[in-house]
Amino acid sequence: MERSPIETPLCRQLGIQHPIFAFSHSADVVVEVCLSGGLGVLGATRMFPEEIARNLADIRSRIGARPFGVDLVLPQGMPERNNREDIEAALPEEHRAFVDYLYDKYNVPRDGLAGPRSRFVRSDEMARRQADVVLASDVDIFAMGIGSPPEFISAAKAAGKRVLALVGNPKHARKALAQGADILVAQGHDSGAHTGPIGTFSLVPQITQMAANVPVLAAGGVATGQHIVAALAMGAAGVWVGTAWLVTKEAHTPPKMMPHLLAANSDDTVITRAKSGKTNRQLRTAYTDEWAAPGAPEPLKMPYQDILVGDLLGAIDRHEIEPLLGTGLGQGIAWFTEETTVADVMRRFVAEAAESLAQLQMLGNAVPQTEGTS
Ligand SMILES: Cc1cc2nc3c(=O)[nH]c(=O)nc-3n(C[C@H](O)[C@H](O)[C@H](O)COP(=O)(O)O)c2cc1C
């Protein structure tokens, strides 16, 4: 394996070439990242346990012994049972009427199918069943987004998995460290999907300082090799990237959505609670605008919002209802203007990082020596 210009000790610990970690819902992206020298992590939180098992086995069969990961979102305060009827019964009439209005106004077919958010209820029961499959698999890394409950961390460690916890503020980082997380992802405000209020530049150095010997990956807005070098300069052991992969062929982004992503600038993303009930950075669409308009109801809490809008969002995706068609999307999208491949993104990241390092090394030489002081 050729030595990476950005190799860090974490690369040697894990047996990867570049300290580039990729979050994606697409198994094809995960595979290609691993084959390109990074580490792919499959977002599996909306998959049934048997789908997770199938995907993990498929990825393993395509990458051999290379390490890879799986990510589950494990928020606190969810209902115990996966029972949609209980949640449906608690949905306010005003909110149901607003969803009906969206179906009618945009001619979204009522096809009677669930979407990823509503195929089951985010619940303690489902989280346990999903985690059981992860623990029984040979996946190397168990990543936990939005909360890393101690019982899941200890079970993962007992099963020989490395635990990676996503954190958006120092308080959560302290907790994850105390509970024994092996790797932290410091995910700043710029990032796609669920995100907190602290910007990447403010967050990452606070977390690297606090984490001492525990490796930290910088996330949120990493879109070039220069960002990777900046992350390493802030003490990170690598980067964790989500948005970049959405413009790759391996992501299987819906054809009607792709042009919107390629045209998007950083300010074409907005923070909304209208997808899941928690603050989530999304491509700005008619869907996010409708929920932000005067008179729209306040989105419900998770998992009520998931169930309220889950079928509608599923139908929007299946039928590609363009004005409403959206995705989690970070501010780094401004750097991606052409459809590409995972291997090309990886090559560009590494080449730009090498160039950036070379420029930094020249900095001292480029500054003219002045004599005396003024
Ligand atoms: C479409 C999309 C979906 C995401 N879903 C999840 C998720 O299910 N679990 C999770 O831990 N992080 C999720 N994330 C956040 C990523 O793990 C990552 O932290 C983030 O994308 C990094 O910032 P970036 O988008 O600027 O690259 C998602 C990100 C995107 C873009």
Side-chain angles (χ1 to χ4, degrees):
M1 190 161 65
E2 194 187 323
R3 189 147 185 206
S4 171
I6 45 172
E7 184 187 278
T8 65
L10 182 62
C11 296
R12 290 189 289 280
Q13 271 173 37
L14 295 174
I16 56 174
Q17 193 179 8
H18 311 296
I20 301 172
F21 291 66
F23 172 94
S24 177
H25 293 122
S26 161
D28 290 341
V29 169
V30 172
V31 167
E32 281 302 309
V33 168
C34 293
L35 296 180
S36 304
L39 194 148
V41 178
L42 182 72
T45 195
R46 305 312 309 171
M47 291 181 193
F48 281 104
E50 48 282 12
E51 293 169 326
I52 298 177
R54 216 172 30 244
N55 272 284
L56 298 185
D58 168 52
I59 293 169
R60 174 61 75 209
S61 74
R62 294 162 68 191
I63 64 169
R66 293 174 177 83
F68 78 111
V70 62
D71 175 282
L72 294 179
V73 175
L74 301 166
Q76 307 272 286
M78 294 300 109
E80 169 56 29
R81 313 289 306 166
N82 168 29
N83 187 340
R84 181 165 172 164
E85 281 162 21
D86 289 353
I87 305 290
E88 291 273 4
L91 298 179
E93 199 41 54
E94 182 200 3
H95 287 74
R96 289 175 179 281
F98 188 70
V99 169
D100 281 339
Y101 151 80
L102 294 177
Y103 270 108
D104 293 342
K105 177 168 175 184
Y106 295 96
N107 295 316
V108 183
R110 287 179 163 81
D111 59 14
L113 300 173
R117 292 186 180 281
S118 54
R119 55 208 306 248
F120 53 82
V121 178
R122 253 187 244 267
S123 52
D124 294 343
E125 173 195 359
M126 191 51 89
R128 275 195 303 273
R129 288 179 47 205
Q130 291 175 314
D132 284 347
V133 169
V134 170
L135 300 183
S137 76
D138 66 359
V139 74
D140 303 276
I141 291 184
F142 187 168
M144 303 182 186
I146 319 186
S148 33
E151 63 276 21
F152 285 91
I153 295 192
S154 40
K157 290 176 80 101
K161 313 294 180 205
R162 276 179 214 258
V163 172
L164 183 152
L166 276 84
V167 298
N169 64 49
K171 193 174 78 193
H172 291 156
R174 209 166 288 122
K175 233 164 130 182
L177 288 168
Q179 287 159 0
D182 299 299
I183 303 174
L184 296 186
V185 172
Q187 190 210 259
H189 183 62
D190 314 24
S191 90
H194 289 123
T195 191
I198 307 179
T200 305
F201 248 58
S202 300
L203 182 70
V204 173
Q206 289 188 56
I207 305 296
T208 56
Q209 215 169 55
M210 172 188 294
N213 294 329
V214 173
V216 175
L217 306 177
V222 175
T224 67
Q226 284 81 0
H227 289 116
I228 298 176
V229 172
L232 300 183
M234 288 190 285
V239 293
W240 171 272
V241 179
T243 290
W245 320 112
L246 296 173
V247 300
T248 65
K249 292 191 172 63
E250 295 89 344
H252 311 298
T253 293
K256 285 192 182 166
M257 180 140 65
M258 188 61 98
H260 297 283
L261 300 190
L262 300 177
N265 283 312
S266 301
D267 58 359
D268 293 318
T269 71
V270 289
I271 301 276
T272 178
R273 291 206 306 111
K275 281 271 168 108
S276 69
K278 289 193 188 282
T279 53
N280 192 311
R281 186 181 294 285
Q282 294 277 318
L283 175 68
R284 182 177 172 193
T285 63
Y287 179 85
T288 61
D289 284 351
E290 288 282 2
W291 280 94
E298 189 63 24
L300 303 173
K301 285 191 176 151
M302 184 184 277
Y304 296 91
Q305 187 74 10
D306 280 330
I307 297 302
L308 175 71
V309 299
D311 295 0
L312 169 68
L313 292 173
I316 291 168
D317 283 351
R318 279 189 296 278
H319 303 284
E320 296 197 60
I321 308 296
E322 218 170 335
L324 302 170
L325 195 57
T327 174
L329 193 69
Q331 295 188 333
I333 191 60
W335 296 92
F336 298 94
T337 54
E338 282 176 16
E339 191 173 349
T340 178
T341 62
V342 167
D344 273 346
V345 173
M346 289 292 291
R347 262 195 297 273
R348 175 166 76 75
F349 278 177
V350 175
E352 288 171 348
E355 197 184 318
S356 170
L357 282 171
Q359 277 171 0
L360 288 176
Q361 269 156 12
M362 278 160 44
L363 266 186
N365 299 333
V367 177
Q369 298 294 312
T370 50
E371 284 185 15
T373 52
S374 55

